[in-house]
Amino acid sequence: MNIVIVDDHPLVRQGLSAMISLEADIKLVGEASNGADAVNLILAAKPEVALIDLRLNDASGLDVIRTCKEKVSFCKYVILTSSVDSEDFRRAGELGVEGYVLKEAFPEEILAAIRVVSRGRKYYDPGLVDSMMNRGGDPLLGHLSSREREILTVLGEGLTNREIAQKLIISENTVKKHVSQVLAKLELSDRTQAALYARNISLRYGMAAG
């Protein structure tokens, strides 16, 4: 797939470029460091995925996405940010942003986000989901481990156990164990209820899983 990078920090662009260069299925077709150049790049290159910094020096990454979505509708957009602000998350959801990744994420997590959104699914950084769930108001959420919260999130995406195992790089048996623990701790009867529960949390911040 073709991808572009938009970030105003040269070292960040360099790091992302180096990471992508090692992947046979991902081709970097351009970089931009400001809002105007980003729009021109996306309109010209027509990438399948655009990895965009939330806060550029001269613009918001969300404004870039809003402009480009009208003209390059097939492109998938992944926000890269250090912000866990729920308002940023909500605005991204309103725009239909497909991915939201924290800059502290490991390279394999960023690559996973790129591949997941390219296949038409949403990807939310586990650290961000953790933060949102902590604000969710349900005390039962506090009983879940980080991995169990991650499992809950992907249940909200409607994934099967096999798909969850592939996405999180764990065995199906491990997935089944975590799903059972999530259901028990949240006092839910089945995975359908868990999926609805996860979606309701996401909807509070404007980003339904799907």
Side-chain angles (χ1 to χ4, degrees):
M1 83 191 75
N2 291 336
I3 186 172
V4 299
I5 295 170
V6 178
D7 199 292
D8 54 12
H9 293 90
L11 288 178
V12 173
R13 295 198 306 275
Q14 182 178 351
L16 292 171
S17 176
M19 175 189 72
I20 290 170
S21 70
L22 300 175
E23 304 302 310
D25 61 328
I26 305 176
K27 181 181 179 181
L28 179 61
V29 295
E31 300 179 21
S33 61
N34 60 65
D37 287 349
V39 170
N40 291 334
L41 172 63
I42 293 170
L43 296 185
K46 294 180 170 57
E48 294 164 75
V49 177
L51 189 60
I52 302 179
D53 188 9
L54 178 63
R55 293 188 173 92
L56 302 168
N57 281 334
D58 67 335
S60 165
L62 295 176
D63 291 335
V64 171
I65 293 172
R66 180 181 291 106
T67 299
C68 293
K69 262 188 171 292
E70 298 175 357
K71 301 176 181 179
V72 190
S73 59
F74 59 83
C75 181
K76 310 296 184 184
Y77 297 89
V78 178
I79 286 288
L80 186 63
T81 180
S82 56
S83 170
V84 293
D85 184 86
S86 60
E87 180 62 18
D88 290 331
F89 195 46
R90 184 192 64 76
R91 289 181 61 213
E94 289 179 347
L95 282 176
V97 172
E98 289 81 8
Y100 208 100
V101 184
L102 297 181
K103 286 190 173 182
E104 64 190 38
F106 292 115
E108 54 267 30
E109 292 175 319
I110 298 175
L111 291 170
I114 292 169
R115 292 188 172 102
V116 166
V117 302
S118 75
R119 294 195 293 267
R121 293 190 180 274
K122 300 287 182 69
Y123 184 97
Y124 309 145
D125 189 292
L128 180 70
V129 172
D130 226 27
S131 176
M132 294 298 106
M133 285 186 173
N134 281 333
R135 304 172 195 173
D138 188 337
L140 292 178
L141 282 170
H143 299 161
L144 301 185
S145 67
S146 294
R147 176 62 87 180
E148 288 164 354
R149 293 185 182 199
E150 196 170 13
I151 292 289
L152 177 61
T153 301
V154 290
L155 284 174
E157 297 174 18
L159 302 187
T160 65
N161 284 349
R162 176 173 294 182
E163 290 171 331
I164 293 173
Q166 292 173 342
K167 180 172 181 176
L168 302 183
I169 317 176
I170 56 179
S171 71
E172 283 191 61
N173 285 336
T174 300
V175 172
K176 291 177 183 178
K177 177 182 176 182
H178 284 311
V179 169
S180 295
Q181 291 171 332
V182 167
L183 295 179
K185 291 182 179 181
L186 294 181
E187 301 175 0
L188 301 171
S189 60
D190 55 43
R191 62 191 295 132
T192 299
Q193 285 191 1
L196 292 172
Y197 184 99
R199 286 171 181 266
N200 284 336
I201 291 173
S202 296
L203 282 167
R204 293 178 194 178
Y205 298 96
M207 291 191 79

